[in-house]
Amino acid sequence: MSRKLRGEAKETGAGVPAADRAWGGRFAGGPAEIMQRINVSIDFDKRLYAQDIAGSLAHCAMLVRRKILTAEDGEAIARGLAHIRGEIEAGSFPFRAEHEDIHLNIEARLGELIGPAAGRLHTARSRNDQVATDFRLWVRDAIDRLERQIQGLQAALIAQAERHAGTIMPGFTHLQVAQPVTFGHHLLAYVEMLGRDRSRLADCRVRLNESPLGAAALAGTSFPIDRDMTAKALGFDRPAANSLDAVSDRDFALEFLAAAAIAGTHLSRFAEEVVIWTSEPYRFIRLSDAFTTGSSIMPQKRNPDAAELVRAKSGRLLGALAALLTVMKGLPLAYGKDMQEDKAPVFDAADTLELALAATAGMVGDLAPDAEAMHRVAASGFSTATDLADWLVRVLGLPFREAHRVAGALVARAEALGVGLAQLPLEEMQRLEPRITAAICDVLTVEKSVASRTSFGGTAPANVTAAAAAARRRFLQ
């Protein structure tokens, strides 16, 4: 056999004879046209090319080491695979639907380049363990990309939190003004959510990092292979322990999609707040032209379309998880062709989450808070009523439930008079609780309220500054 690549590809038409197909020895005729269409996956699984070539190179090296393959064949295969990788990356690789998937496309092209030695690469291997290996490698790479992106978003949030550790804004429950907090404190809440997202992805990466390669179709192989060698070559921690599980497990994909869906939900919650904060009744923040669009009919409009699209993308992530759960829920061991449907939702989810993370990081860096508008709303809605109740407990010794009742009555009186709690006359307060003194006024401003929240995890500006620094150490170093 020549040690050189054989040059130009042999053209193969769509009507490949059944006997020439990878699985064709059992079949006298070719598939129906509709069977060809439903069976082909090359349009989406060609994204696995780098992982497929890496797995084949590791398998080839192991076969040579174990003397299952000659060194000459191994060198020819390695050169051919390197050539194919170059073709794919240059955009000149002849992808063909008649070869069904990325695995057979690469194998067929390898045969065109180096001849019969290409057929020896598949010794002691099945497409079942091959695709399971490729898919794990791809998801592992996707997790690494996403982890870096999430960290970048955390960095943008922490930077804004540091700048606005003392910028007062309303805290909400039920979307009603509840208690004043700081903008920095609010943003750091998302830093914590994203930290958990990174942790979930990291956990998923640990569990997926077992190699299916060598499990073959489902039962292992009679060839004297070294699964530890191929696992190590591909960066896996160990080979998967059970050959049936190795080829049929898609827990790693489901876990990835679950982590992606939760992360997308966090991004959607933040996006919803951006939509609210940029609306006319609030105007808490402003986004530049870079992350807004206009209206085709209303020239005054500035629409937060980036946030709205991030909010919508969470639906695709949730749908991807539901789709793969549905595919997997009724499958007996081991492999079923149903599993061909595992990759499209995972690919789409990874793309969707990467785009949403990039857009969110861009918005976080771009947004400019309006401190005056935030302060105005923070001071409305009797947001310091809890501070009043706490004062009654702390200074007058009232049981909290009694203090809560008195504070509620004072809110009702202030509302009736059309004033805030800080403007309610002392004599009005004393009619409800005679022991109240003028000292109560010290806790009724939003500044005093925020500054008093010094418990661990609280919103006091000094706390927020310290928390932002701690978040830098935890998440960015």
Side-chain angles (χ1 to χ4, degrees):
M1 183 188 67
S2 172
R3 294 169 65 91
K4 296 182 180 179
L5 299 180
R6 293 189 168 204
E8 294 301 315
K10 176 178 63 181
E11 289 299 325
T12 307
V16 178
D20 291 342
R21 295 175 181 272
W23 42 265
R26 171 69 174 80
F27 293 79
E33 187 273 337
I34 192 64
M35 177 61 191
Q36 175 90 347
R37 285 170 53 198
I38 197 171
N39 194 46
V40 167
S41 61
I42 187 61
D43 287 344
F44 57 84
D45 69 17
K46 61 186 176 184
R47 294 180 64 160
L48 296 172
Y49 80 88
Q51 291 78 19
D52 193 72
I53 290 171
S56 290
L57 287 170
H59 185 65
C60 177
M62 182 273 297
L63 292 177
V64 171
R65 173 80 65 85
R66 301 295 293 172
K67 301 187 183 308
I68 300 168
L69 195 66
T70 67
E72 184 182 22
D73 283 350
E75 290 170 6
I77 288 168
R79 284 197 306 274
L81 290 172
H83 183 85
I84 289 169
R85 181 169 52 211
E87 285 185 333
I88 294 174
E89 290 172 354
S92 61
F93 183 86
F95 290 109
R96 298 183 182 123
E98 64 267 20
H99 295 314
E100 299 181 16
D101 57 30
I102 187 60
H103 323 295
L104 294 186
N105 265 268
I106 289 176
E107 183 176 326
R109 179 62 174 150
L110 188 62
E112 293 169 358
L113 292 170
I114 70 171
R120 298 187 178 99
L121 174 60
H122 210 55
T123 305
R125 180 174 80 168
S126 164
R127 271 196 295 178
N128 293 356
D129 62 333
Q130 186 178 1
V131 68
T133 301
D134 295 355
F135 198 21
R136 282 178 185 255
L137 290 172
W138 193 94
V139 172
R140 191 177 72 186
D141 291 341
I143 287 172
D144 292 344
R145 291 194 305 273
L146 287 165
E147 197 279 337
R148 291 190 294 271
Q149 273 199 284
I150 296 172
Q151 185 182 51
L153 175 53
Q154 286 180 302
L157 288 162
I158 290 169
Q160 285 280 26
E162 289 169 336
R163 286 192 288 271
H164 297 285
T167 301
I168 293 173
M169 71 171 293
F172 296 93
T173 60
H174 308 278
L175 205 53
Q176 305 297 311
V177 175
Q179 292 177 299
V181 296
T182 74
F183 189 52
H185 189 61
H186 195 107
L187 295 179
L188 288 178
Y190 286 99
V191 173
E192 294 298 323
M193 296 181 210
L194 294 167
R196 294 191 295 274
D197 292 327
R198 287 174 64 186
S199 179
R200 272 183 283 271
L201 287 169
D203 287 345
C204 175
R205 195 188 193 284
V206 169
R207 274 184 286 277
L208 74 77
N209 210 35
E210 296 184 347
S211 174
L213 196 57
L218 76 162
T221 178
S222 60
F223 288 94
I225 63 173
D226 185 346
R227 293 189 63 205
D228 288 297
M229 178 181 171
T230 51
K232 182 178 180 181
L234 294 169
F236 288 113
D237 294 329
R238 63 191 69 84
N242 182 283
S243 60
L244 283 164
D245 181 55
V247 298
S248 63
D249 166 47
R250 292 299 183 271
D251 289 4
F252 67 94
L254 291 167
E255 189 171 359
F256 172 76
L257 290 175
I262 295 170
T265 300
H266 291 152
L267 299 184
S268 181
R269 295 184 72 182
F270 180 76
E272 169 70 2
E273 296 204 298
V274 170
V275 172
I276 292 170
W277 292 344
T278 55
S279 67
E280 192 60 45
Y282 289 87
R283 290 298 178 193
F284 287 176
I285 65 170
R286 180 180 175 86
L287 292 172
S288 75
D289 295 350
F291 291 93
T292 56
T293 66
S295 165
S296 63
I297 191 173
M298 295 169 285
Q300 83 282 7
K301 294 293 293 300
R302 180 188 291 273
N303 299 323
D305 282 8
E308 291 170 0
L309 289 166
V310 168
R311 184 174 60 184
K313 296 294 184 186
S314 63
R316 292 178 67 158
L317 297 169
L318 294 168
L321 174 59
L324 188 53
L325 283 167
T326 304
V327 168
M328 297 301 299
K329 70 175 181 61
L331 296 187
L333 294 179
Y335 182 82
K337 193 71 170 182
D338 313 53
M339 292 185 195
Q340 184 167 288
E341 294 298 311
D342 58 1
K343 285 167 283 298
V346 170
F347 293 161
D348 184 70
D351 292 346
T352 297
L353 186 53
E354 286 187 42
L355 181 59
L357 283 165
T360 304
M363 284 189 290
V364 170
D366 182 71
L367 64 84
D370 185 330
E372 183 180 343
M374 287 182 171
H375 188 282
R376 182 174 61 253
V377 178
S380 69
F382 308 103
S383 63
T384 58
T386 303
D387 300 274
L388 191 158
D390 288 346
W391 187 92
L392 294 173
V393 171
R394 189 171 55 251
V395 177
L396 301 187
L398 269 64
F400 183 78
R401 287 303 175 198
E402 175 62 15
H404 186 282
R405 184 195 66 77
V406 172
L410 290 172
V411 165
R413 184 57 181 158
E415 189 172 38
L417 295 175
V419 299
L421 284 174
Q423 291 77 45
L424 186 65
L426 179 60
E427 56 271 21
E428 292 287 345
M429 295 185 184
Q430 290 173 335
R431 287 177 184 170
L432 289 166
E433 173 49 66
R435 291 176 292 169
I436 292 177
T437 68
I440 200 171
C441 296
D442 292 339
V443 301
L444 296 182
T445 66
V446 292
E447 289 79 10
K448 294 285 188 178
S449 174
V450 166
S452 72
R453 306 296 175 184
T454 57
S455 59
F456 180 77
T459 191
N463 280 30
V464 176
T465 298
R472 277 198 176 278
R473 292 190 296 272
R474 289 166 58 205
F475 298 122
L476 305 184
Q477 295 179 2

